[in-house]
PDB file of all heavy atoms in Angstrom:
ATOM      1  N   PHE S 952       6.187 -17.184  -9.543  1.00 98.00           N
ATOM      2  CA  PHE S 952       5.911 -17.852 -10.837  1.00 98.00           C
ATOM      3  C   PHE S 952       7.296 -17.875 -11.668  1.00 98.00           C
ATOM      4  O   PHE S 952       7.531 -18.822 -12.392  1.00 98.00           O
ATOM      5  CB  PHE S 952       4.862 -17.176 -11.672  1.00 98.00           C
ATOM      6  CG  PHE S 952       3.493 -17.561 -11.249  1.00 98.00           C
ATOM      7  CD1 PHE S 952       2.764 -16.752 -10.353  1.00 98.00           C
ATOM      8  CD2 PHE S 952       2.845 -18.617 -11.725  1.00 98.00           C
ATOM      9  CE1 PHE S 952       1.513 -17.163  -9.920  1.00 98.00           C
ATOM     10  CE2 PHE S 952       1.632 -19.083 -11.277  1.00 98.00           C
ATOM     11  CZ  PHE S 952       0.856 -18.229 -10.388  1.00 98.00           C
ATOM     12  N   LYS S 953       8.087 -16.752 -11.566  1.00 98.00           N
ATOM     13  CA  LYS S 953       9.229 -16.689 -12.449  1.00 98.00           C
ATOM     14  C   LYS S 953      10.528 -16.866 -11.669  1.00 98.00           C
ATOM     15  O   LYS S 953      11.567 -17.158 -12.300  1.00 98.00           O
ATOM     16  CB  LYS S 953       9.315 -15.239 -13.074  1.00 98.00           C
ATOM     17  CG  LYS S 953       8.187 -15.058 -14.091  1.00 98.00           C
ATOM     18  CD  LYS S 953       8.334 -15.932 -15.234  1.00 98.00           C
ATOM     19  CE  LYS S 953       7.345 -15.514 -16.342  1.00 98.00           C
ATOM     20  NZ  LYS S 953       7.473 -16.466 -17.501  1.00 98.00           N
ATOM     21  N   MET S 954      10.551 -16.701 -10.329  1.00 98.00           N
ATOM     22  CA  MET S 954      11.768 -16.886  -9.571  1.00 98.00           C
ATOM     23  C   MET S 954      11.704 -18.051  -8.586  1.00 98.00           C
ATOM     24  O   MET S 954      12.640 -18.407  -7.959  1.00 98.00           O
ATOM     25  CB  MET S 954      12.099 -15.650  -8.741  1.00 98.00           C
ATOM     26  CG  MET S 954      12.354 -14.398  -9.548  1.00 98.00           C
ATOM     27  SD  MET S 954      12.275 -12.929  -8.520  1.00 98.00           S
ATOM     28  CE  MET S 954      13.296 -11.867  -9.487  1.00 98.00           C
ATOM     29  N   HIS S 955      10.508 -18.668  -8.605  1.00 98.00           N
ATOM     30  CA  HIS S 955      10.217 -19.848  -7.825  1.00 98.00           C
ATOM     31  C   HIS S 955      10.504 -19.666  -6.367  1.00 98.00           C
ATOM     32  O   HIS S 955      10.921 -20.588  -5.566  1.00 98.00           O
ATOM     33  CB  HIS S 955      11.040 -21.035  -8.384  1.00 98.00           C
ATOM     34  CG  HIS S 955      10.661 -21.320  -9.754  1.00 98.00           C
ATOM     35  ND1 HIS S 955       9.502 -21.935 -10.113  1.00 98.00           N
ATOM     36  CD2 HIS S 955      11.355 -21.008 -10.941  1.00 98.00           C
ATOM     37  CE1 HIS S 955       9.503 -21.994 -11.493  1.00 98.00           C
ATOM     38  NE2 HIS S 955      10.523 -21.414 -11.988  1.00 98.00           N
ATOM     39  N   LEU S 956      10.250 -18.455  -5.917  1.00 98.00           N
ATOM     40  CA  LEU S 956      10.305 -18.215  -4.434  1.00 98.00           C
ATOM     41  C   LEU S 956       9.006 -18.771  -3.857  1.00 98.00           C
ATOM     42  O   LEU S 956       7.967 -18.854  -4.469  1.00 98.00           O
ATOM     43  CB  LEU S 956      10.404 -16.709  -4.092  1.00 98.00           C
ATOM     44  CG  LEU S 956      11.666 -15.991  -4.622  1.00 98.00           C
ATOM     45  CD1 LEU S 956      11.594 -14.495  -4.524  1.00 98.00           C
ATOM     46  CD2 LEU S 956      12.918 -16.538  -3.819  1.00 98.00           C
ATOM     47  N   THR S 957       9.093 -19.047  -2.515  1.00 98.00           N
ATOM     48  CA  THR S 957       7.846 -19.580  -1.888  1.00 98.00           C
ATOM     49  C   THR S 957       7.110 -18.315  -1.245  1.00 98.00           C
ATOM     50  O   THR S 957       7.600 -17.218  -1.110  1.00 98.00           O
ATOM     51  CB  THR S 957       8.234 -20.515  -0.663  1.00 98.00           C
ATOM     52  OG1 THR S 957       8.947 -19.628   0.330  1.00 98.00           O
ATOM     53  CG2 THR S 957       9.173 -21.610  -1.052  1.00 98.00           C
ATOM     54  N   PRO S 958       5.749 -18.613  -0.949  1.00 98.00           N
ATOM     55  CA  PRO S 958       5.063 -17.486  -0.421  1.00 98.00           C
ATOM     56  C   PRO S 958       5.662 -16.846   0.819  1.00 98.00           C
ATOM     57  O   PRO S 958       5.678 -15.637   0.998  1.00 98.00           O
ATOM     58  CB  PRO S 958       3.692 -18.115  -0.094  1.00 98.00           C
ATOM     59  CG  PRO S 958       3.567 -19.191  -1.174  1.00 98.00           C
ATOM     60  CD  PRO S 958       4.913 -19.737  -1.370  1.00 98.00           C
ATOM     61  N   ILE S 959       6.206 -17.715   1.665  1.00 98.00           N
ATOM     62  CA  ILE S 959       6.900 -17.171   2.967  1.00 98.00           C
ATOM     63  C   ILE S 959       8.006 -16.239   2.494  1.00 98.00           C
ATOM     64  O   ILE S 959       8.245 -15.155   3.059  1.00 98.00           O
ATOM     65  CB  ILE S 959       7.282 -18.204   3.916  1.00 98.00           C
ATOM     66  CG1 ILE S 959       6.033 -18.885   4.561  1.00 98.00           C
ATOM     67  CG2 ILE S 959       8.180 -17.614   5.078  1.00 98.00           C
ATOM     68  CD1 ILE S 959       6.286 -19.915   5.579  1.00 98.00           C
ATOM     69  N   GLN S 960       8.858 -16.744   1.652  1.00 98.00           N
ATOM     70  CA  GLN S 960      10.001 -15.920   1.177  1.00 98.00           C
ATOM     71  C   GLN S 960       9.621 -14.605   0.556  1.00 98.00           C
ATOM     72  O   GLN S 960      10.124 -13.558   0.851  1.00 98.00           O
ATOM     73  CB  GLN S 960      10.811 -16.683   0.164  1.00 98.00           C
ATOM     74  CG  GLN S 960      11.688 -17.906   0.781  1.00 98.00           C
ATOM     75  CD  GLN S 960      12.206 -18.819  -0.228  1.00 98.00           C
ATOM     76  OE1 GLN S 960      11.696 -18.883  -1.341  1.00 98.00           O
ATOM     77  NE2 GLN S 960      13.122 -19.549   0.167  1.00 98.00           N
ATOM     78  N   VAL S 961       8.480 -14.682  -0.253  1.00 98.00           N
ATOM     79  CA  VAL S 961       8.008 -13.444  -0.893  1.00 98.00           C
ATOM     80  C   VAL S 961       7.483 -12.456   0.163  1.00 98.00           C
ATOM     81  O   VAL S 961       7.763 -11.303   0.074  1.00 98.00           O
ATOM     82  CB  VAL S 961       6.910 -13.824  -1.900  1.00 98.00           C
ATOM     83  CG1 VAL S 961       6.031 -12.637  -2.282  1.00 98.00           C
ATOM     84  CG2 VAL S 961       7.540 -14.454  -3.146  1.00 98.00           C
TER      85      VAL S 961
END
Side-chain angles (χ1 to χ4, degrees):
F952 284 94
K953 295 293 188 179
M954 296 168 153
H955 303 285
L956 296 170
T957 66
I959 290 184
Q960 289 167 339
V961 163

